Amino acid sequence: MGNQCRSCITRIPYATLIATIMCIVGVGVFCGTMYRGAMLAVLMFDQVFHLRLIWVETVQMVFVVIGASMGALGLMILFVGCLATGATRTKVYRAWGARVGGRISCAVFLGITYVLQVAWLLMLCFLVIVTLIFTIFWALCSNPQVQANRQCIDFRQFSFMFPNNTRPEDMEVCDTHELKLFCKDYVERAEIMFILATVACLLVILSLVHYLMCLSANYAHIRDHEKFQELQDLQCLQEPELSMGGSKDRF
């Protein structure tokens, strides 16, 4: 029983397992917070600035697809890690074709992970900019003059960020109800969502770095196992010759 437990423990790719947990948690938090943050942004532009952002609904669906794809990728890399760990590697990659397939699969996942790493770094840059914008919005809302309803929040100096047909009065937030919607209901909540999404994005990037290290190690293990297998085959071929030579010497 103890030997079986020890054998099972040695077959678990702990580094890949940790990276998979980090990836799934990070992607889950990212998709949830970005979905909610995008919804708050749509409501803010609709009810405060009277702008309709139809494309945001498509972006929300993209977040769902990203979550499912990253989860599937993490499970596939975990499966590859299990095959390349411990005694499982010895059994699975015994044949030459299996070893070649294992090295190719590791190389393919290395390429995919590298591309995803670049994509998530770009997403991190985008989130930093969005979070900074909402932090500026929150700083405008924290102005005592604005909180006392003695001053409007004027976005006319940022007119380049609005569509060309936007009216100047729609770029000002003056009404008490609009100030409450803009500051309390949308900006405050959306900023929290985007901060959490940024942290989750960092977690995903860290998990992808772990994946790159694990896949590189698995590739090296499979390659070294191929050399070790060739050495074993050579030794098996030499042993009968040595035994035959020894028998001739005795007789």
Side-chain angles (χ1 to χ4, degrees), residues 109-181:
F109 281 117
L110 270 171
I112 295 174
T113 306
Y114 187 83
V115 173
L116 288 175
Q117 179 83 6
V118 175
W120 280 95
L121 285 172
L122 294 175
M123 177 60 70
L124 178 63
C125 296
F126 170 75
L127 280 174
V128 169
I129 295 173
V130 172
T131 305
L132 179 62
I133 291 174
F134 274 85
T135 302
I136 294 173
F137 288 170
W138 181 244
L140 294 174
C141 292
S142 301
N143 189 343
Q145 297 293 329
V146 173
Q147 292 180 350
N149 294 331
R150 290 195 297 266
Q151 182 179 342
C152 298
I153 300 178
D154 190 1
F155 290 100
R156 284 179 296 182
Q157 63 268 29
F158 303 108
S159 59
F160 61 91
M161 300 176 60
F162 292 85
N164 295 327
N165 57 351
T166 304
R167 298 178 302 174
E169 55 268 22
D170 289 337
M171 300 181 193
E172 292 182 334
V173 183
C174 296
D175 185 66
T176 305
H177 178 65
E178 287 187 347
L179 284 172
K180 178 184 177 298
L181 287 175

Side-chain angles (χ1 to χ4, degrees), residues 221-238:
H221 289 160
I222 296 173
R223 182 190 59 190
D224 294 340
H225 179 72
E226 181 178 359
K227 296 179 181 178
F228 180 72
Q229 189 68 34
E230 291 176 354
L231 182 62
Q232 278 188 328
D233 295 339
L234 182 61
Q235 186 177 3
C236 292
L237 291 174
Q238 289 178 348

Side-chain angles (χ1 to χ4, degrees), residues 9 11-25 74-75 77-79 81-82 85 207 210-211 214 218:
I9 290 174
R11 294 170 186 262
I12 299 175
Y14 291 101
T16 308
L17 180 61
I18 293 172
T20 302
I21 294 173
M22 292 170 56
C23 180
I24 292 176
V25 172
L75 293 177
I77 295 178
L78 179 61
F79 179 72
C82 291
T85 303
S207 70
H210 277 229
Y211 276 140
C214 294
N218 291 335

Side-chain angles (χ1 to χ4, degrees), residues 3-14 79-95 99 218 221-222 225 228-229 232:
N3 293 331
Q4 292 180 353
C5 293
R6 191 179 301 110
S7 176
C8 292
I9 290 174
T10 56
R11 294 170 186 262
I12 299 175
Y14 291 101
F79 179 72
V80 171
C82 291
L83 294 180
T85 303
T88 307
R89 180 176 67 247
T90 306
K91 293 182 179 180
V92 173
Y93 298 117
R94 186 182 301 274
R99 293 194 295 269
N218 291 335
H221 289 160
I222 296 173
H225 179 72
F228 180 72
Q229 189 68 34
Q232 278 188 328

